[in-house]
Short mmCIF file of all heavy atoms in Angstrom, two decimals:
data_model
loop_
_atom_site.label_atom_id
_atom_site.label_comp_id
_atom_site.label_asym_id
_atom_site.label_seq_id
_atom_site.Cartn_x
_atom_site.Cartn_y
_atom_site.Cartn_z
N ARG A 381 -4.32 -85.19 16.58
CA ARG A 381 -5.44 -86.03 17.05
C ARG A 381 -6.79 -85.32 17.09
O ARG A 381 -7.79 -85.87 16.70
CB ARG A 381 -5.17 -86.66 18.41
CG ARG A 381 -3.70 -86.55 18.83
CD ARG A 381 -3.13 -87.83 19.34
NE ARG A 381 -1.86 -87.59 20.00
CZ ARG A 381 -0.69 -87.67 19.37
NH1 ARG A 381 -0.62 -88.03 18.10
NH2 ARG A 381 0.43 -87.42 20.01
N GLN A 382 -6.84 -84.08 17.67
CA GLN A 382 -8.10 -83.30 17.69
C GLN A 382 -9.26 -84.07 18.28
O GLN A 382 -10.36 -84.08 17.71
CB GLN A 382 -8.47 -82.84 16.26
CG GLN A 382 -7.35 -82.21 15.48
CD GLN A 382 -6.92 -80.85 15.98
OE1 GLN A 382 -7.64 -80.21 16.73
NE2 GLN A 382 -5.73 -80.43 15.63
N VAL A 383 -9.05 -84.73 19.41
CA VAL A 383 -10.19 -85.34 20.09
C VAL A 383 -10.95 -84.23 20.84
O VAL A 383 -10.40 -83.17 21.12
CB VAL A 383 -9.77 -86.49 21.06
CG1 VAL A 383 -9.02 -87.57 20.31
CG2 VAL A 383 -8.96 -85.96 22.23
N PHE A 384 -12.22 -84.48 21.12
CA PHE A 384 -13.02 -83.48 21.83
C PHE A 384 -12.86 -83.76 23.32
O PHE A 384 -13.50 -84.65 23.88
CB PHE A 384 -14.48 -83.55 21.36
CG PHE A 384 -14.61 -83.25 19.89
CD1 PHE A 384 -14.68 -84.26 18.95
CD2 PHE A 384 -14.61 -81.93 19.44
CE1 PHE A 384 -14.76 -83.98 17.59
CE2 PHE A 384 -14.68 -81.63 18.08
CZ PHE A 384 -14.76 -82.66 17.16
N ALA A 385 -11.96 -82.98 23.94
CA ALA A 385 -11.47 -83.30 25.28
C ALA A 385 -12.55 -83.42 26.36
O ALA A 385 -12.50 -84.35 27.16
CB ALA A 385 -10.40 -82.29 25.70
N PRO A 386 -13.55 -82.52 26.41
CA PRO A 386 -14.54 -82.65 27.50
C PRO A 386 -15.54 -83.78 27.28
O PRO A 386 -16.21 -84.20 28.22
CB PRO A 386 -15.27 -81.30 27.50
CG PRO A 386 -14.63 -80.45 26.45
CD PRO A 386 -13.81 -81.34 25.58
N MET A 387 -15.65 -84.26 26.05
CA MET A 387 -16.64 -85.32 25.77
C MET A 387 -16.06 -86.68 26.12
O MET A 387 -14.86 -86.89 26.11
CB MET A 387 -17.00 -85.31 24.28
CG MET A 387 -17.77 -84.06 23.87
SD MET A 387 -18.02 -84.00 22.08
CE MET A 387 -18.99 -85.46 21.84
N SER A 388 -16.95 -87.62 26.41
CA SER A 388 -16.48 -88.96 26.78
C SER A 388 -15.84 -89.64 25.57
O SER A 388 -16.08 -89.26 24.42
CB SER A 388 -17.64 -89.83 27.28
OG SER A 388 -18.47 -90.19 26.19
N VAL A 389 -15.04 -90.63 25.88
CA VAL A 389 -14.39 -91.43 24.83
C VAL A 389 -15.46 -91.99 23.89
O VAL A 389 -15.35 -91.91 22.66
CB VAL A 389 -13.57 -92.56 25.50
CG1 VAL A 389 -13.14 -93.61 24.49
CG2 VAL A 389 -12.35 -91.96 26.21
N GLU A 390 -16.53 -92.52 24.47
CA GLU A 390 -17.58 -93.12 23.64
C GLU A 390 -18.28 -92.09 22.75
O GLU A 390 -18.55 -92.37 21.58
CB GLU A 390 -18.60 -93.84 24.52
CG GLU A 390 -19.64 -94.56 23.67
CD GLU A 390 -20.19 -95.78 24.36
OE1 GLU A 390 -19.39 -96.67 24.72
OE2 GLU A 390 -21.41 -95.82 24.57
N ASP A 391 -18.54 -90.90 23.31
CA ASP A 391 -19.19 -89.88 22.48
C ASP A 391 -18.29 -89.43 21.34
O ASP A 391 -18.76 -89.12 20.24
CB ASP A 391 -19.62 -88.69 23.34
CG ASP A 391 -20.87 -89.00 24.15
OD1 ASP A 391 -21.54 -90.01 23.84
OD2 ASP A 391 -21.16 -88.26 25.11
N ASN A 392 -16.97 -89.38 21.58
CA ASN A 392 -16.04 -89.09 20.48
C ASN A 392 -16.18 -90.13 19.38
O ASN A 392 -16.20 -89.80 18.19
CB ASN A 392 -14.59 -89.08 20.99
CG ASN A 392 -14.12 -87.72 21.47
OD1 ASN A 392 -13.56 -86.95 20.71
ND2 ASN A 392 -14.37 -87.42 22.74
N LEU A 393 -16.29 -91.39 19.78
CA LEU A 393 -16.43 -92.46 18.79
C LEU A 393 -17.74 -92.32 18.01
O LEU A 393 -17.77 -92.49 16.79
CB LEU A 393 -16.36 -93.82 19.47
CG LEU A 393 -14.99 -94.20 20.03
CD1 LEU A 393 -15.06 -95.53 20.78
CD2 LEU A 393 -13.95 -94.28 18.91
N LEU A 394 -18.80 -91.98 18.74
CA LEU A 394 -20.11 -91.87 18.07
C LEU A 394 -20.11 -90.73 17.04
O LEU A 394 -20.75 -90.84 15.99
CB LEU A 394 -21.22 -91.67 19.11
CG LEU A 394 -21.42 -92.89 20.03
CD1 LEU A 394 -22.46 -92.60 21.10
CD2 LEU A 394 -21.82 -94.13 19.23
N LEU A 395 -19.36 -89.66 17.32
CA LEU A 395 -19.26 -88.57 16.35
C LEU A 395 -18.67 -89.06 15.03
O LEU A 395 -19.05 -88.59 13.96
CB LEU A 395 -18.37 -87.45 16.89
CG LEU A 395 -19.02 -86.48 17.88
CD1 LEU A 395 -17.99 -85.46 18.33
CD2 LEU A 395 -20.20 -85.78 17.21
N GLY A 396 -17.74 -90.00 15.15
CA GLY A 396 -17.11 -90.55 13.94
C GLY A 396 -18.07 -91.36 13.10
O GLY A 396 -17.79 -91.68 11.94
N ALA A 397 -19.22 -91.70 13.68
CA ALA A 397 -20.18 -92.58 12.99
C ALA A 397 -21.34 -91.79 12.38
O ALA A 397 -22.39 -92.36 12.11
CB ALA A 397 -20.71 -93.63 13.97
N PHE A 398 -21.11 -90.47 12.12
CA PHE A 398 -22.25 -89.65 11.70
C PHE A 398 -22.84 -90.07 10.36
O PHE A 398 -23.98 -89.74 10.06
CB PHE A 398 -21.87 -88.16 11.68
CG PHE A 398 -21.03 -87.74 10.51
CD1 PHE A 398 -21.64 -87.13 9.40
CD2 PHE A 398 -19.66 -87.93 10.50
CE1 PHE A 398 -20.86 -86.74 8.31
CE2 PHE A 398 -18.89 -87.54 9.41
CZ PHE A 398 -19.49 -86.95 8.31
N THR A 399 -22.08 -90.83 9.58
CA THR A 399 -22.62 -91.26 8.27
C THR A 399 -23.31 -92.63 8.35
O THR A 399 -23.85 -93.09 7.35
CB THR A 399 -21.47 -91.42 7.24
OG1 THR A 399 -20.53 -92.37 7.78
CG2 THR A 399 -20.77 -90.10 6.97
N ARG A 400 -23.29 -93.25 9.52
CA ARG A 400 -23.75 -94.64 9.61
C ARG A 400 -25.19 -94.72 10.10
O ARG A 400 -25.67 -93.84 10.81
CB ARG A 400 -22.86 -95.42 10.60
CG ARG A 400 -21.37 -95.21 10.42
CD ARG A 400 -20.80 -95.83 9.15
NE ARG A 400 -21.07 -97.25 9.01
CZ ARG A 400 -20.50 -98.21 9.73
NH1 ARG A 400 -19.62 -97.92 10.67
NH2 ARG A 400 -20.79 -99.47 9.52
N SER A 401 -25.84 -95.82 9.79
CA SER A 401 -27.20 -96.00 10.28
C SER A 401 -27.13 -96.56 11.70
O SER A 401 -26.10 -97.09 12.12
CB SER A 401 -27.96 -96.96 9.37
OG SER A 401 -27.40 -98.25 9.50
N LYS A 402 -28.25 -96.40 12.44
CA LYS A 402 -28.28 -96.82 13.85
C LYS A 402 -27.82 -98.26 14.04
O LYS A 402 -27.03 -98.57 14.93
CB LYS A 402 -29.70 -96.66 14.40
CG LYS A 402 -29.83 -95.43 15.27
CD LYS A 402 -31.08 -95.52 16.11
CE LYS A 402 -31.10 -94.35 17.08
NZ LYS A 402 -32.44 -93.85 17.33
N GLY A 403 -28.31 -99.13 13.18
CA GLY A 403 -28.01 -100.55 13.32
C GLY A 403 -26.55 -100.90 13.08
O GLY A 403 -26.07 -101.95 13.52
N GLU A 404 -25.82 -100.02 12.38
CA GLU A 404 -24.41 -100.32 12.07
C GLU A 404 -23.48 -99.90 13.19
O GLU A 404 -22.33 -100.34 13.25
CB GLU A 404 -23.99 -99.56 10.79
CG GLU A 404 -24.70 -100.00 9.54
CD GLU A 404 -24.40 -99.07 8.36
OE1 GLU A 404 -24.32 -97.83 8.55
OE2 GLU A 404 -24.26 -99.57 7.24
N ILE A 405 -23.96 -98.99 14.06
CA ILE A 405 -23.06 -98.37 15.04
C ILE A 405 -22.59 -99.37 16.10
O ILE A 405 -21.40 -99.41 16.45
CB ILE A 405 -23.74 -97.13 15.66
CG1 ILE A 405 -23.86 -96.05 14.57
CG2 ILE A 405 -22.95 -96.59 16.84
CD1 ILE A 405 -24.60 -94.80 14.99
N GLY A 406 -23.52 -100.19 16.61
CA GLY A 406 -23.15 -101.16 17.65
C GLY A 406 -22.02 -102.09 17.22
O GLY A 406 -20.99 -102.19 17.91
N PRO A 407 -22.17 -102.76 16.07
CA PRO A 407 -21.10 -103.65 15.61
C PRO A 407 -19.77 -102.91 15.39
O PRO A 407 -18.70 -103.46 15.67
CB PRO A 407 -21.64 -104.21 14.29
CG PRO A 407 -23.12 -104.10 14.40
CD PRO A 407 -23.40 -102.89 15.25
N SER A 408 -19.84 -101.66 14.89
CA SER A 408 -18.59 -100.92 14.67
C SER A 408 -17.92 -100.56 16.00
O SER A 408 -16.70 -100.62 16.12
CB SER A 408 -18.85 -99.64 13.87
OG SER A 408 -19.00 -99.96 12.52
N LEU A 409 -18.75 -100.19 17.00
CA LEU A 409 -18.19 -99.89 18.33
C LEU A 409 -17.49 -101.13 18.88
O LEU A 409 -16.38 -101.06 19.41
CB LEU A 409 -19.32 -99.51 19.29
CG LEU A 409 -19.52 -98.05 19.69
CD1 LEU A 409 -20.56 -97.97 20.79
CD2 LEU A 409 -18.22 -97.38 20.12
N ALA A 410 -18.15 -102.28 18.73
CA ALA A 410 -17.56 -103.53 19.24
C ALA A 410 -16.24 -103.82 18.54
O ALA A 410 -15.26 -104.24 19.17
CB ALA A 410 -18.55 -104.69 19.04
N ALA A 411 -16.19 -103.54 17.23
CA ALA A 411 -14.97 -103.82 16.47
C ALA A 411 -13.83 -102.92 16.92
O ALA A 411 -12.69 -103.38 17.08
CB ALA A 411 -15.23 -103.65 14.97
N VAL A 412 -14.11 -101.62 17.14
CA VAL A 412 -13.00 -100.75 17.56
C VAL A 412 -12.59 -101.04 19.01
O VAL A 412 -11.43 -100.90 19.38
CB VAL A 412 -13.25 -99.23 17.35
CG1 VAL A 412 -13.46 -98.91 15.88
CG2 VAL A 412 -14.34 -98.68 18.20
N HIS A 413 -13.55 -101.48 19.83
CA HIS A 413 -13.20 -101.85 21.20
C HIS A 413 -12.30 -103.09 21.22
O HIS A 413 -11.41 -103.21 22.06
CB HIS A 413 -14.46 -102.11 22.03
CG HIS A 413 -15.14 -100.84 22.46
ND1 HIS A 413 -16.46 -100.80 22.85
CD2 HIS A 413 -14.68 -99.57 22.58
CE1 HIS A 413 -16.78 -99.55 23.18
NE2 HIS A 413 -15.71 -98.79 23.01
N GLU A 414 -12.53 -103.98 20.26
CA GLU A 414 -11.69 -105.17 20.20
C GLU A 414 -10.26 -104.80 19.78
O GLU A 414 -9.28 -105.32 20.32
CB GLU A 414 -12.29 -106.17 19.21
CG GLU A 414 -11.64 -107.53 19.33
CD GLU A 414 -12.23 -108.54 18.36
OE1 GLU A 414 -13.42 -108.42 18.00
OE2 GLU A 414 -11.47 -109.43 17.96
N LEU A 415 -10.18 -103.86 18.85
CA LEU A 415 -8.87 -103.41 18.36
C LEU A 415 -8.14 -102.57 19.42
O LEU A 415 -6.92 -102.64 19.56
CB LEU A 415 -9.10 -102.59 17.09
CG LEU A 415 -7.98 -102.38 16.12
CD1 LEU A 415 -7.44 -103.70 15.61
CD2 LEU A 415 -8.51 -101.55 14.93
N PHE A 416 -8.88 -101.75 20.15
CA PHE A 416 -8.31 -100.85 21.15
C PHE A 416 -9.05 -101.08 22.49
O PHE A 416 -9.90 -100.26 22.87
CB PHE A 416 -8.49 -99.39 20.76
CG PHE A 416 -8.05 -99.02 19.36
CD1 PHE A 416 -8.96 -98.91 18.33
CD2 PHE A 416 -6.71 -98.76 19.09
CE1 PHE A 416 -8.56 -98.54 17.05
CE2 PHE A 416 -6.30 -98.39 17.81
CZ PHE A 416 -7.23 -98.29 16.78
N PRO A 417 -8.72 -102.15 23.22
CA PRO A 417 -9.48 -102.47 24.45
C PRO A 417 -9.47 -101.34 25.48
O PRO A 417 -10.44 -101.17 26.22
CB PRO A 417 -8.74 -103.71 25.00
CG PRO A 417 -8.01 -104.28 23.83
CD PRO A 417 -7.70 -103.15 22.92
N ILE A 418 -8.42 -100.52 25.46
CA ILE A 418 -8.33 -99.43 26.44
C ILE A 418 -9.49 -98.43 26.26
O ILE A 418 -9.94 -97.80 27.22
CB ILE A 418 -6.95 -98.71 26.34
CG1 ILE A 418 -6.73 -97.74 27.50
CG2 ILE A 418 -6.78 -97.96 25.03
CD1 ILE A 418 -6.39 -98.41 28.79
N LEU A 419 -9.97 -98.31 25.03
CA LEU A 419 -11.06 -97.36 24.76
C LEU A 419 -12.39 -97.88 25.32
O LEU A 419 -13.28 -97.11 25.64
CB LEU A 419 -11.19 -97.08 23.25
CG LEU A 419 -9.96 -96.48 22.58
CD1 LEU A 419 -10.25 -96.22 21.09
CD2 LEU A 419 -9.50 -95.21 23.27
N HIS A 420 -12.48 -99.19 25.44
CA HIS A 420 -13.66 -99.76 26.07
C HIS A 420 -13.59 -99.54 27.58
O HIS A 420 -14.55 -99.07 28.20
CB HIS A 420 -13.75 -101.26 25.76
CG HIS A 420 -14.97 -101.90 26.36
ND1 HIS A 420 -14.90 -102.77 27.43
CD2 HIS A 420 -16.28 -101.75 26.07
CE1 HIS A 420 -16.13 -103.15 27.76
NE2 HIS A 420 -16.97 -102.55 26.94
N GLU A 421 -12.38 -99.80 28.11
CA GLU A 421 -12.17 -99.61 29.55
C GLU A 421 -12.47 -98.17 29.98
O GLU A 421 -13.04 -97.93 31.03
CB GLU A 421 -10.69 -99.89 29.83
CG GLU A 421 -10.37 -100.68 31.06
CD GLU A 421 -8.88 -101.02 31.03
OE1 GLU A 421 -8.51 -102.03 30.38
OE2 GLU A 421 -8.11 -100.25 31.62
N LYS A 422 -12.08 -97.21 29.14
CA LYS A 422 -12.18 -95.79 29.51
C LYS A 422 -13.35 -95.10 28.82
O LYS A 422 -13.36 -93.87 28.70
CB LYS A 422 -10.87 -95.09 29.16
CG LYS A 422 -9.66 -95.72 29.86
CD LYS A 422 -8.53 -94.76 30.06
CE LYS A 422 -7.53 -95.35 31.04
NZ LYS A 422 -6.46 -94.46 31.42
N ARG A 423 -14.34 -95.87 28.37
CA ARG A 423 -15.38 -95.29 27.50
C ARG A 423 -16.17 -94.16 28.14
O ARG A 423 -16.68 -93.29 27.45
CB ARG A 423 -16.32 -96.39 26.98
CG ARG A 423 -17.10 -97.14 28.06
CD ARG A 423 -17.77 -98.37 27.44
NE ARG A 423 -18.54 -99.14 28.41
CZ ARG A 423 -17.98 -100.00 29.27
NH1 ARG A 423 -16.66 -100.17 29.31
NH2 ARG A 423 -18.74 -100.67 30.13
N HIS A 424 -16.29 -94.17 29.49
CA HIS A 424 -17.10 -93.12 30.14
C HIS A 424 -16.28 -91.92 30.57
O HIS A 424 -16.82 -90.93 31.06
CB HIS A 424 -17.83 -93.71 31.36
CG HIS A 424 -18.76 -94.83 30.98
ND1 HIS A 424 -19.72 -94.68 30.00
CD2 HIS A 424 -18.86 -96.11 31.42
CE1 HIS A 424 -20.37 -95.83 29.86
NE2 HIS A 424 -19.86 -96.72 30.69
N LEU A 425 -14.96 -91.98 30.39
CA LEU A 425 -14.10 -90.87 30.84
C LEU A 425 -13.98 -89.79 29.77
O LEU A 425 -14.07 -90.09 28.57
CB LEU A 425 -12.69 -91.41 31.16
CG LEU A 425 -12.60 -92.40 32.32
CD1 LEU A 425 -11.15 -92.84 32.52
CD2 LEU A 425 -13.13 -91.75 33.60
#
Side-chain angles (χ1 to χ4, degrees):
R381 346 227 193 267
Q382 313 290 343
V383 302
F384 298 97
M387 293 173 62
S388 72
V389 167
E390 184 151 303
D391 284 345
N392 270 268
L393 290 176
L394 294 176
L395 280 179
F398 77 98
T399 58
R400 314 290 305 288
S401 68
K402 257 197 174 145
E404 295 171 321
I405 292 175
S408 282
L409 255 188
V412 299
H413 283 160
E414 193 180 331
L415 200 58
F416 309 100
I418 190 75
L419 300 182
H420 181 251
E421 222 171 276
K422 303 206 166 186
R423 62 191 180 281
H424 299 307
L425 296 180

